[in-house]
């Protein structure tokens, strides 16, 4: 369906008077075509597909997309996280700790950005970091016995955090 726009007035000017709107001898009409319909293969947000799949599943229809979604494998890390979450007894406490950790992380980022804006402090802290990195490397990585002790300490800490099975 095309829409039609008519322009019944036009500008005219005379040498003595300012320009005025006057009706033209014949009205000019312009037809505007409607925008083309979107193709069915165009991009759609994922939410529409999910809604369609849910509707298909509720009515008992099984589309190819619904069948393929169920056959996809989940990554190993996701399975491990799900198993660990099922073993947790106090989910409320763990969730609270995660939220508190996220808030703490945002607060630390704010403090670090505030310190970074000070004129002399970032350079001094960078020198301290470089110095401590050198000290740590000299003390723990320079000789074989120290490296082995560091590896054992890391493995022990890992087993304490994760829990040895």
């Amino acid at each position: 369906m095309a829409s039609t726009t008519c322009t019944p007035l036009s500008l005219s000017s005379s040498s003595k008077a300012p320009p005025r709107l006057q009706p033209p001898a014949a009205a000019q009409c312009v037809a505007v075509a409607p925008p083309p319909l979107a193709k069915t293969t165009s991009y759609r947000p994922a939410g529409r597909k999910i809604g369609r799949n849910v509707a298909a599943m509720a009515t008992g229809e099984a589309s190819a997309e619904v069948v393929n979604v169920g056959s996809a494998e989940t990554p190993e890390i996701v399975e491990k996280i799900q198993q660990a979450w099922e073993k947790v007894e106090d989910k409320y406490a763990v969730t609270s700790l995660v939220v508190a950790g996220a808030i703490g992380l945002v607060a630390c980022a704010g403090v670090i950005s505030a310190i970074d804006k000070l004129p002399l402090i970032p350079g001094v802290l960078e020198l301290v970091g470089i110095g401590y990195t050198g000290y740590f490397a000299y003390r723990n990585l320079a000789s074989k016995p120290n490296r082995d002790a560091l590896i054992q300490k890391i493995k022990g800490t890992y087993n304490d955090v994760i829990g040895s099975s």
Side-chain angles (χ1 to χ4, degrees):
M1 169 190 283
S3 63
T4 305
T5 306
C6 293
T7 57
L9 300 174
S10 65
L11 285 174
S12 68
S13 63
S14 65
S15 60
K16 297 179 184 176
R20 295 183 295 170
L21 290 176
Q22 296 178 347
Q28 297 175 351
C29 294
V30 177
V32 178
L37 297 175
K39 297 179 183 178
T40 56
T41 58
S42 66
Y43 170 76
R44 288 188 201 115
R48 289 186 185 173
K49 280 187 174 181
I50 291 172
R52 193 173 17 155
N53 291 343
V54 170
M57 291 168 67
T59 59
E61 300 172 4
S63 67
E65 292 176 4
V66 175
V67 174
N68 289 339
V69 169
S71 66
E73 273 189 41
T74 56
E76 253 184 72
I77 187 77
V78 174
E79 291 176 3
K80 287 183 180 181
I81 291 172
Q82 287 174 345
Q83 290 172 358
W85 183 250
E86 289 171 2
K87 291 179 184 177
V88 173
E89 292 177 10
D90 195 4
K91 291 180 170 66
Y92 179 75
V94 172
T95 305
S96 299
L97 285 173
V98 168
V99 169
I103 291 171
L105 189 64
V106 170
C108 287
V111 169
I112 288 172
S113 70
I115 290 173
D116 195 34
K117 292 178 183 175
L118 297 173
L120 187 60
I121 303 295
V124 172
L125 290 178
E126 189 174 343
L127 286 175
V128 168
I130 291 171
Y132 184 76
T133 301
Y135 169 74
F136 178 84
Y138 174 74
R139 184 165 182 215
N140 294 310
L141 303 175
S143 64
K144 175 96 171 121
N146 292 343
R147 281 193 302 266
D148 292 338
L150 178 64
I151 290 171
Q152 290 302 320
K153 187 174 181 179
I154 291 172
K155 286 181 180 178
T157 304
Y158 177 79
N159 288 333
D160 289 343
V161 171
I162 300 299
S164 57
S165 25

